[in-house]
Amino acid sequence: MKRVVVTGLGALTPIGNTLSEYREGLKKGLSGAKPITQFDATLFKTRFACEVSGFNPEDFVDRREARRMDRFTQFAMAASAEALAHSGLDLDAIDKNRVGVIWASGIGGLATLEKEIEEHITGNGTPKHNPFTIPKMISDIAAGQISIQYGFRGINYCTVSACASSSHGLMNAFDYIRLGKADIIVSGGSEATITKTAVGGFNSMKALSERNDDFTTASRPFDKDRDGFVLGEGAGALILEEYEHARRRGATIYAEVLGAAATADAYHMTAPHPEGLGVINVMNFALQDAGLRPEDIDYINVHGTSTPLGDVAELIAIQKVFGDAAYKLNISSTKSMTGHLLGAAGAVEAIASILAMQDSFIPPTINHFTDDPEIDPKLNLTFNEAQSRPVNAVLSNTFGFGGHNASIIFRKL
C-alpha cells in the first residue's frame, strides 16, 4: 500500500486561533476555560466552558455565505483554509478529481436547530423557518462547503461517532489514500456546541464539571478530585497526502500516518468497559497496523476527559498493552487545556501530537493537585508543565459515547 503523510495543519481552539497560537498555548499550559458568553448560563449547573474567542467568520468566507453557515461550519472553513495554506499546495496545479474532504462533527449545527425551535415555540405557532435551517444543521455540510470553496471533486463525506468522529475521519482518509483512491484529503473536525441544549443535556448526565468558582482548573484529568469534563469548541484540519505526490512537489512533511484502528466496547451507552477490552484492542490493532512494538511509542495523547471512570480505565488499558514500556513513555491529556471538543477532539489532539514530534516536547496535563490512589504513581502523566524529549512516534486515543474507540499512530520523518 501507499504511504501517507501530513503536509498541512490548521487549528482553531480555545487556547489559540491559529496553529502557531495553539502551539504556544500547549507549551505554556494555558487553560481555555472561561465563563460562558454565548448564552445566559445563570441557571445552569455549569456556567463555564472552553470557548473560541475573537473569531470572525468573515475572515474566511464572505458575509453572505457566513450567514448561511452554522458556527461549526464556519470553524471548519477557518481551519481548512489555514491547513491548505500551511501545505503550500498550488491549487491550480493539482488534479481536483483526486482531492477529497472527509470532515467530522459529532453533533453538527446544534445552535441552529436550537434557535429555530425556540423561535417557533415563542412565535404564533405558524410554521416559519429559515430556508437554510437544514443545510446549516446537518453534520455533513462542512465537508460539502469545503469542497465547494476549493472545487475538490474527490471523496466527500462526514464521519459521526461522537467524540471519536474526527479520529475516524482521519483513519478513513488514511485508508483511502494508502489504497490509491485519492492523492490528497482534507480531513479533520469541528464542533460548536456551547449551547443551552448541550450544557443542559450533559449536566443532566452529570458529565460536566460544576467547578464554577474555579473554572480555570476545572478540567483536571487524573486528579483525585476531578468531577467531569469541560465543554470545548473549535476545529482542527490536517492535509493528508500520498507520500510520492508530496515528495514530487517538494512539500514539507510534518509526520507520517503509520497506522490506525477502530473498535467497539460493546458494553454501555456512556460508560467505559470495566476491563477496558475495546481500548486494549484498539491500541493493539493500531500498533499491529503500524508495524510497531509498544516500546517504539514515545508519547500517548490520551482521551483523558477528566471523568472519574474514564481516566482510570484508559490508564489501566495502557498498562496492559504497553507493560513495562508504559513507564518509559510520556502520557498527557491536552483536554486539560482545550476542554473537550467532542467530535473535533481527535483532529485537534492529532495536531498536538504532531507538534510534539516537530518541537520535541510533551504538552502537559495541567491542573493536577492531588494524586489519585487508583492511578499508578510511576506513570509519567506530564503533570502541570511541558517536558522536553525527543518524540519519534505518537499514539493518539479518542473514545466516543456508544463505545466507539479509535487510535492513530504518527511517526516523525
Side-chain angles (χ1 to χ4, degrees), residues 172-191:
N172 287 182
F174 170 50
D175 284 340
Y176 274 116
I177 294 172
R178 65 175 169 170
L179 290 170
K181 295 184 177 182
D183 296 329
I184 301 164
I185 296 180
V186 181
S187 190
S190 56
E191 207 78 88

Side-chain angles (χ1 to χ4, degrees), residues 12-14 16-17 21 32 34 37 51-56 71 233:
L12 176 64
T13 79
N17 287 16
E21 290 177 1
K34 55 182 74 73
T37 65
E51 294 184 343
V52 169
S53 300
F55 173 70
N56 181 5
R71 186 171 167 90
E233 65 174 1

